Amino acid sequence: MKALMISRDGPLHDEIAAQGAARMPVLRLLDRRASLREAVERVLAEAPELVIVDASDIGADDADLFERLARLYPAAVLMLLTRGQQQEVLIRAMRAGMREVLQLPLVHKAFHEAMDRVDIQAGVTQLRDGKVLAFISCKGGSGATFLATNFAYALATLAGCKVLLIDLHGQFGDATLYVSDQKPSMTLSDICAQIARMDGAFLASCLVHVTPDFGVLAAADDPAHKVDMQPDHMDRILAVARQHYDYIVLDVGRQIDALSLRALDGADAIYPVLQLALPDIRDARRLLDIFRSLGYPGERLRLIVNRYTKGGRLRLADLEQALGAEVVHTVPNDYLAATDSVNQGVPLLQLSRSSALARSLAELVGQVTQRRVTESRSLFDRLFSRSEA
């Protein structure tokens, strides 16, 4: 998003530039003009998508220049920053097509909310109706974090979706380490402590950005901060995330507490992950009993069997009968590919696109996205054939 700012106030210009740089997508100030008259006399060679006007020093005599400004940049969104009562200036600005009016001193939350609307109006971003997919371990060591992180990366990379992964592990969450070597600057607990600031721009600024379309919100790194994390915070985070991401993948871990339970309540699908072994089956039965007691419909619960090997004594049919639930996907036991990915902190698709694990992730992406199955499969085939060549 490219913008022209009209203001004599240098610190205000710097403040908006700093706030704009923290946005995703970035707001870039092309240039500054000291007055409306200078703005209409010195036209930018590159037309801006946004014109921000500081009305602090604009009098009624200069208000007619708003219409000239609007004619110079007919495709731009106009934003007015005003102090106190400037009724005549405001009326002339509104007649000229001013869409956003903010009071000074600048309130950052209000500015970013206005910028979210501007981005949508300018076609830079669009409001989404994201789906929440929760991965939860039936038993420790089931590989749910590996699957959640690599599946989220695959969704963004193979299906072209905008994806957010939220690490909900109560303690020692390490989802970021599976896909990136970046150190998180903000965590889930930091967001909860500043929940009043929650909007799309603030959320994006708190993520580890693995790719332009895939970001990770790290788990709380200090268990003591959990007291600041309330269930209604999760409602707010997911509500904002749904508007800005196609899919929100939750790495729930094993512990079901007030926060993770609220997240599960809001999930469109829950993927319990287990291995085909009696201890896993026993814990899976307990977990599914909890979900059923909470009134979760059966179609929302979708079992994934990890490290699956055909020909064992326990069959998938036995598992489904014991749990009263259908296995929607199996992930092959590809120890070397998985270990290389985890040890290097690099997504599996970057390291082993032709592996059985990569094909399994591709199949799960096609299953989840549905309408993109045909398109995605042809893409997977091209990727894999290149890797094997």
Side-chain angles (χ1 to χ4, degrees):
M1 171 71 71
K2 295 170 291 186
L4 166 66
M5 184 160 181
I6 302 171
S7 177
R8 300 181 189 278
D9 190 336
L12 177 61
H13 172 274
D14 295 342
E15 181 181 10
I16 288 181
Q19 292 299 312
R23 291 185 57 79
M24 290 290 289
V26 170
L27 172 66
R28 181 164 65 92
L29 298 184
L30 296 173
D31 209 339
R32 176 160 67 105
R33 300 287 185 261
S35 67
L36 268 178
R37 188 164 299 280
E38 182 186 1
V40 299
E41 292 175 352
R42 293 179 56 207
V43 181
L44 287 180
E46 181 181 5
E49 297 158 295
L50 171 67
V51 178
I52 303 173
V53 181
D54 175 8
S56 301
D57 298 319
I58 296 177
D61 294 340
D62 292 327
D64 63 317
L65 295 175
F66 279 117
E67 294 183 6
R68 291 179 58 185
L69 182 71
R71 288 195 296 269
L72 284 174
Y73 305 115
V77 178
L78 304 180
M79 177 184 291
L80 186 71
L81 310 180
T82 179
R83 297 181 190 273
Q85 299 298 318
Q86 294 179 284
Q87 291 298 327
E88 180 64 25
V89 170
L90 180 59
I91 290 171
R92 297 297 293 272
M94 297 295 285
R95 287 175 178 169
M98 196 68 65
R99 291 289 179 266
E100 297 289 344
V101 179
L102 299 178
Q103 290 290 323
L104 292 174
L106 192 68
V107 177
H108 293 170
K109 184 176 187 297
F111 172 73
H112 286 293
E113 288 175 347
M115 282 306 307
D116 286 343
R117 294 189 293 270
V118 170
D119 285 345
I120 293 167
Q121 183 178 343
V124 176
T125 61
Q126 59 182 5
L127 282 180
R128 293 169 163 84
D129 183 19
K131 304 299 181 186
V132 178
L133 312 177
F135 284 69
I136 184 168
S137 300
C138 293
K139 185 174 178 58
S142 66
T145 296
F146 175 84
L147 289 181
T149 51
N150 280 276
F151 168 71
Y153 177 84
L155 262 179
T157 304
L158 298 180
C161 298
K162 192 173 182 183
V163 182
L164 166 65
L165 183 134
I166 303 178
D167 189 347
L168 288 175
H169 282 253
Q171 296 182 27
F172 314 116
D174 56 3
T176 54
L177 298 179
Y178 283 71
V179 288
S180 175
D181 60 358
Q182 301 176 53
K183 181 177 175 57
S185 60
M186 299 279 278
T187 69
L188 179 60
S189 60
D190 294 323
I191 283 188
C192 290
Q194 305 175 63
I195 199 65
R197 296 180 58 193
M198 174 53 57
D199 57 22
F202 178 61
L203 178 59
S205 72
C206 297
L207 306 182
V208 170
H209 291 278
V210 182
T211 72
D213 288 327
F214 174 42
V216 179
L217 176 56
D221 55 1
D222 185 350
H225 290 164
K226 285 201 59 124
V227 296
D228 300 324
M229 300 162 61
Q230 304 299 322
D232 58 331
H233 293 165
M234 184 52 58
D235 292 338
R236 176 62 180 156
I237 292 169
L238 291 182
V240 171
R242 283 183 185 273
Q243 293 182 339
H244 295 276
Y245 295 87
D246 297 308
Y247 290 95
I248 302 95
V249 178
L250 307 177
D251 179 21
V252 179
R254 275 200 84 202
Q255 181 178 343
I256 297 181
D257 53 21
L259 196 73
S260 62
L261 189 59
R262 186 64 66 90
L264 289 167
D265 287 344
D268 296 281
I270 301 172
Y271 293 89
V273 179
L274 72 157
Q275 298 182 49
L276 202 55
L278 286 176
D280 289 66
I281 296 172
R282 180 196 61 193
D283 286 1
R285 179 183 293 169
R286 293 173 176 171
L287 184 62
L288 292 181
D289 286 344
I290 292 173
F291 289 157
R292 287 164 183 151
S293 70
L294 293 170
Y296 294 173
E299 60 269 18
R300 203 197 300 179
L301 307 176
R302 305 172 185 179
L303 295 178
I304 293 180
V305 174
N306 194 20
R307 299 173 188 152
Y308 174 65
T309 303
K310 294 182 179 178
R313 289 190 175 184
L314 289 175
R315 302 173 303 165
L316 291 179
D318 298 327
L319 172 65
E320 291 176 337
Q321 183 176 3
L323 298 182
E326 180 184 0
V327 174
V328 299
H329 191 66
T330 60
V331 180
N333 186 15
D334 195 343
Y335 178 79
L336 289 178
T339 302
D340 284 347
S341 173
V342 172
N343 287 342
Q344 296 182 51
V346 176
L348 180 88
L349 286 179
Q350 286 188 25
L351 292 178
S352 307
R353 273 186 167 160
S354 60
S355 67
L357 258 179
R359 289 186 181 276
S360 178
L361 288 169
E363 290 168 3
L364 186 57
V365 168
Q367 181 187 117
V368 167
T369 55
Q370 293 183 7
R371 62 186 174 87
R372 299 186 178 92
V373 169
T374 302
E375 171 190 344
S376 298
R377 285 190 186 282
S378 64
L379 174 60
F380 304 154
D381 291 340
R382 292 198 299 273
L383 289 172
F384 296 144
S385 63
R386 279 203 299 268
S387 299
E388 293 165 352

PDB file of all heavy atoms in Angstrom, residues 120-139:
ATOM      1  N   ILE A 120      -8.914  -3.344   2.299  1.00  0.00           N
ATOM      2  CA  ILE A 120      -9.997  -4.086   1.644  1.00  0.00           C
ATOM      3  C   ILE A 120     -10.579  -3.269   0.497  1.00  0.00           C
ATOM      4  O   ILE A 120     -10.789  -3.767  -0.610  1.00  0.00           O
ATOM      5  CB  ILE A 120     -11.083  -4.458   2.663  1.00  0.00           C
ATOM      6  CG1 ILE A 120     -10.541  -5.469   3.680  1.00  0.00           C
ATOM      7  CG2 ILE A 120     -12.313  -5.033   1.969  1.00  0.00           C
ATOM      8  CD1 ILE A 120     -11.410  -5.650   4.889  1.00  0.00           C
ATOM      9  N   GLN A 121     -10.815  -1.976   0.756  1.00  0.00           N
ATOM     10  CA  GLN A 121     -11.390  -1.107  -0.274  1.00  0.00           C
ATOM     11  C   GLN A 121     -10.459  -0.974  -1.467  1.00  0.00           C
ATOM     12  O   GLN A 121     -10.916  -0.934  -2.625  1.00  0.00           O
ATOM     13  CB  GLN A 121     -11.692   0.265   0.318  1.00  0.00           C
ATOM     14  CG  GLN A 121     -12.362   1.222  -0.662  1.00  0.00           C
ATOM     15  CD  GLN A 121     -12.697   2.564  -0.021  1.00  0.00           C
ATOM     16  OE1 GLN A 121     -12.718   2.685   1.196  1.00  0.00           O
ATOM     17  NE2 GLN A 121     -12.955   3.569  -0.842  1.00  0.00           N
ATOM     18  N   ALA A 122      -9.154  -0.918  -1.208  1.00  0.00           N
ATOM     19  CA  ALA A 122      -8.176  -0.766  -2.287  1.00  0.00           C
ATOM     20  C   ALA A 122      -7.876  -2.084  -2.982  1.00  0.00           C
ATOM     21  O   ALA A 122      -7.134  -2.113  -3.968  1.00  0.00           O
ATOM     22  CB  ALA A 122      -6.891  -0.156  -1.734  1.00  0.00           C
ATOM     23  N   GLY A 123      -8.411  -3.184  -2.457  1.00  0.00           N
ATOM     24  CA  GLY A 123      -8.167  -4.484  -3.065  1.00  0.00           C
ATOM     25  C   GLY A 123      -6.836  -5.096  -2.689  1.00  0.00           C
ATOM     26  O   GLY A 123      -6.405  -6.081  -3.288  1.00  0.00           O
ATOM     27  N   VAL A 124      -6.136  -4.499  -1.698  1.00  0.00           N
ATOM     28  CA  VAL A 124      -4.851  -5.039  -1.265  1.00  0.00           C
ATOM     29  C   VAL A 124      -5.056  -6.334  -0.480  1.00  0.00           C
ATOM     30  O   VAL A 124      -4.302  -7.293  -0.613  1.00  0.00           O
ATOM     31  CB  VAL A 124      -4.086  -4.009  -0.407  1.00  0.00           C
ATOM     32  CG1 VAL A 124      -2.783  -4.588   0.123  1.00  0.00           C
ATOM     33  CG2 VAL A 124      -3.816  -2.758  -1.242  1.00  0.00           C
ATOM     34  N   THR A 125      -6.076  -6.350   0.362  1.00  0.00           N
ATOM     35  CA  THR A 125      -6.434  -7.572   1.088  1.00  0.00           C
ATOM     36  C   THR A 125      -7.939  -7.754   0.989  1.00  0.00           C
ATOM     37  O   THR A 125      -8.668  -6.863   0.581  1.00  0.00           O
ATOM     38  CB  THR A 125      -6.043  -7.484   2.580  1.00  0.00           C
ATOM     39  OG1 THR A 125      -6.757  -6.394   3.185  1.00  0.00           O
ATOM     40  CG2 THR A 125      -4.555  -7.288   2.759  1.00  0.00           C
ATOM     41  N   GLN A 126      -8.386  -8.927   1.373  1.00  0.00           N
ATOM     42  CA  GLN A 126      -9.815  -9.192   1.395  1.00  0.00           C
ATOM     43  C   GLN A 126     -10.170  -9.921   2.682  1.00  0.00           C
ATOM     44  O   GLN A 126      -9.369 -10.688   3.204  1.00  0.00           O
ATOM     45  CB  GLN A 126     -10.236 -10.039   0.195  1.00  0.00           C
ATOM     46  CG  GLN A 126      -9.532 -11.387   0.119  1.00  0.00           C
ATOM     47  CD  GLN A 126      -9.942 -12.170  -1.114  1.00  0.00           C
ATOM     48  OE1 GLN A 126     -10.661 -11.680  -1.952  1.00  0.00           O
ATOM     49  NE2 GLN A 126      -9.471 -13.403  -1.205  1.00  0.00           N
ATOM     50  N   LEU A 127     -11.355  -9.629   3.194  1.00  0.00           N
ATOM     51  CA  LEU A 127     -11.802 -10.341   4.385  1.00  0.00           C
ATOM     52  C   LEU A 127     -12.048 -11.789   4.035  1.00  0.00           C
ATOM     53  O   LEU A 127     -12.645 -12.113   3.009  1.00  0.00           O
ATOM     54  CB  LEU A 127     -13.086  -9.707   4.936  1.00  0.00           C
ATOM     55  CG  LEU A 127     -12.916  -8.411   5.726  1.00  0.00           C
ATOM     56  CD1 LEU A 127     -14.263  -7.922   6.208  1.00  0.00           C
ATOM     57  CD2 LEU A 127     -11.971  -8.611   6.903  1.00  0.00           C
ATOM     58  N   ARG A 128     -11.595 -12.672   4.878  1.00  0.00           N
ATOM     59  CA  ARG A 128     -11.743 -14.090   4.648  1.00  0.00           C
ATOM     60  C   ARG A 128     -12.740 -14.672   5.639  1.00  0.00           C
ATOM     61  O   ARG A 128     -13.180 -14.008   6.562  1.00  0.00           O
ATOM     62  CB  ARG A 128     -10.385 -14.791   4.783  1.00  0.00           C
ATOM     63  CG  ARG A 128      -9.382 -14.417   3.684  1.00  0.00           C
ATOM     64  CD  ARG A 128      -7.993 -14.928   4.007  1.00  0.00           C
ATOM     65  NE  ARG A 128      -7.122 -14.939   2.854  1.00  0.00           N
ATOM     66  CZ  ARG A 128      -6.435 -13.899   2.406  1.00  0.00           C
ATOM     67  NH1 ARG A 128      -6.535 -12.751   3.030  1.00  0.00           N
ATOM     68  NH2 ARG A 128      -5.655 -13.994   1.352  1.00  0.00           N
ATOM     69  N   ASP A 129     -13.074 -15.923   5.444  1.00  0.00           N
ATOM     70  CA  ASP A 129     -13.897 -16.662   6.385  1.00  0.00           C
ATOM     71  C   ASP A 129     -13.141 -17.939   6.711  1.00  0.00           C
ATOM     72  O   ASP A 129     -13.477 -19.029   6.239  1.00  0.00           O
ATOM     73  CB  ASP A 129     -15.277 -16.953   5.778  1.00  0.00           C
ATOM     74  CG  ASP A 129     -16.198 -17.668   6.754  1.00  0.00           C
ATOM     75  OD1 ASP A 129     -15.924 -17.608   7.966  1.00  0.00           O
ATOM     76  OD2 ASP A 129     -17.167 -18.299   6.313  1.00  0.00           O
ATOM     77  N   GLY A 130     -12.068 -17.784   7.477  1.00  0.00           N
ATOM     78  CA  GLY A 130     -11.129 -18.871   7.707  1.00  0.00           C
ATOM     79  C   GLY A 130     -11.714 -20.039   8.482  1.00  0.00           C
ATOM     80  O   GLY A 130     -12.619 -19.880   9.302  1.00  0.00           O
ATOM     81  N   LYS A 131     -11.157 -21.215   8.226  1.00  0.00           N
ATOM     82  CA  LYS A 131     -11.538 -22.431   8.928  1.00  0.00           C
ATOM     83  C   LYS A 131     -10.481 -22.762   9.986  1.00  0.00           C
ATOM     84  O   LYS A 131      -9.279 -22.623   9.747  1.00  0.00           O
ATOM     85  CB  LYS A 131     -11.663 -23.613   7.960  1.00  0.00           C
ATOM     86  CG  LYS A 131     -12.633 -23.364   6.807  1.00  0.00           C
ATOM     87  CD  LYS A 131     -14.044 -23.094   7.302  1.00  0.00           C
ATOM     88  CE  LYS A 131     -15.004 -22.879   6.152  1.00  0.00           C
ATOM     89  NZ  LYS A 131     -16.364 -22.476   6.613  1.00  0.00           N
ATOM     90  N   VAL A 132     -10.946 -23.209  11.142  1.00  0.00           N
ATOM     91  CA  VAL A 132     -10.049 -23.559  12.243  1.00  0.00           C
ATOM     92  C   VAL A 132      -9.931 -25.078  12.317  1.00  0.00           C
ATOM     93  O   VAL A 132     -10.929 -25.786  12.460  1.00  0.00           O
ATOM     94  CB  VAL A 132     -10.568 -23.004  13.583  1.00  0.00           C
ATOM     95  CG1 VAL A 132      -9.640 -23.416  14.727  1.00  0.00           C
ATOM     96  CG2 VAL A 132     -10.688 -21.482  13.520  1.00  0.00           C
ATOM     97  N   LEU A 133      -8.696 -25.580  12.213  1.00  0.00           N
ATOM     98  CA  LEU A 133      -8.410 -27.007  12.244  1.00  0.00           C
ATOM     99  C   LEU A 133      -7.493 -27.286  13.427  1.00  0.00           C
ATOM    100  O   LEU A 133      -6.395 -26.735  13.506  1.00  0.00           O
ATOM    101  CB  LEU A 133      -7.728 -27.455  10.948  1.00  0.00           C
ATOM    102  CG  LEU A 133      -8.382 -26.987   9.634  1.00  0.00           C
ATOM    103  CD1 LEU A 133      -7.544 -27.439   8.439  1.00  0.00           C
ATOM    104  CD2 LEU A 133      -9.809 -27.500   9.524  1.00  0.00           C
ATOM    105  N   ALA A 134      -7.939 -28.130  14.360  1.00  0.00           N
ATOM    106  CA  ALA A 134      -7.188 -28.389  15.593  1.00  0.00           C
ATOM    107  C   ALA A 134      -6.557 -29.780  15.550  1.00  0.00           C
ATOM    108  O   ALA A 134      -7.251 -30.776  15.320  1.00  0.00           O
ATOM    109  CB  ALA A 134      -8.107 -28.275  16.800  1.00  0.00           C
ATOM    110  N   PHE A 135      -5.238 -29.840  15.762  1.00  0.00           N
ATOM    111  CA  PHE A 135      -4.515 -31.105  15.876  1.00  0.00           C
ATOM    112  C   PHE A 135      -4.220 -31.336  17.351  1.00  0.00           C
ATOM    113  O   PHE A 135      -3.647 -30.461  18.017  1.00  0.00           O
ATOM    114  CB  PHE A 135      -3.212 -31.065  15.077  1.00  0.00           C
ATOM    115  CG  PHE A 135      -3.398 -31.204  13.592  1.00  0.00           C
ATOM    116  CD1 PHE A 135      -4.001 -30.195  12.856  1.00  0.00           C
ATOM    117  CD2 PHE A 135      -2.980 -32.351  12.927  1.00  0.00           C
ATOM    118  CE1 PHE A 135      -4.184 -30.315  11.488  1.00  0.00           C
ATOM    119  CE2 PHE A 135      -3.152 -32.489  11.552  1.00  0.00           C
ATOM    120  CZ  PHE A 135      -3.759 -31.468  10.827  1.00  0.00           C
ATOM    121  N   ILE A 136      -4.591 -32.505  17.853  1.00  0.00           N
ATOM    122  CA  ILE A 136      -4.397 -32.797  19.269  1.00  0.00           C
ATOM    123  C   ILE A 136      -3.835 -34.202  19.441  1.00  0.00           C
ATOM    124  O   ILE A 136      -4.246 -35.145  18.753  1.00  0.00           O
ATOM    125  CB  ILE A 136      -5.731 -32.646  20.056  1.00  0.00           C
ATOM    126  CG1 ILE A 136      -5.496 -32.848  21.545  1.00  0.00           C
ATOM    127  CG2 ILE A 136      -6.824 -33.552  19.506  1.00  0.00           C
ATOM    128  CD1 ILE A 136      -6.691 -32.419  22.408  1.00  0.00           C
ATOM    129  N   SER A 137      -2.871 -34.351  20.338  1.00  0.00           N
ATOM    130  CA  SER A 137      -2.240 -35.653  20.594  1.00  0.00           C
ATOM    131  C   SER A 137      -3.128 -36.503  21.479  1.00  0.00           C
ATOM    132  O   SER A 137      -3.617 -36.037  22.511  1.00  0.00           O
ATOM    133  CB  SER A 137      -0.890 -35.460  21.292  1.00  0.00           C
ATOM    134  OG  SER A 137      -0.004 -34.704  20.500  1.00  0.00           O
ATOM    135  N   CYS A 138      -3.317 -37.745  21.064  1.00  0.00           N
ATOM    136  CA  CYS A 138      -4.003 -38.692  21.946  1.00  0.00           C
ATOM    137  C   CYS A 138      -3.060 -39.179  23.033  1.00  0.00           C
ATOM    138  O   CYS A 138      -3.488 -39.493  24.143  1.00  0.00           O
ATOM    139  CB  CYS A 138      -4.528 -39.882  21.136  1.00  0.00           C
ATOM    140  SG  CYS A 138      -5.845 -39.430  19.994  1.00  0.00           S
ATOM    141  N   LYS A 139      -1.766 -39.245  22.697  1.00  0.00           N
ATOM    142  CA  LYS A 139      -0.755 -39.702  23.643  1.00  0.00           C
ATOM    143  C   LYS A 139       0.540 -38.982  23.330  1.00  0.00           C
ATOM    144  O   LYS A 139       0.797 -38.617  22.183  1.00  0.00           O
ATOM    145  CB  LYS A 139      -0.562 -41.222  23.530  1.00  0.00           C
ATOM    146  CG  LYS A 139       0.400 -41.803  24.574  1.00  0.00           C
ATOM    147  CD  LYS A 139       0.424 -43.309  24.494  1.00  0.00           C
ATOM    148  CE  LYS A 139       1.427 -43.889  25.496  1.00  0.00           C
ATOM    149  NZ  LYS A 139       1.108 -43.488  26.882  1.00  0.00           N
TER     150      LYS A 139
END
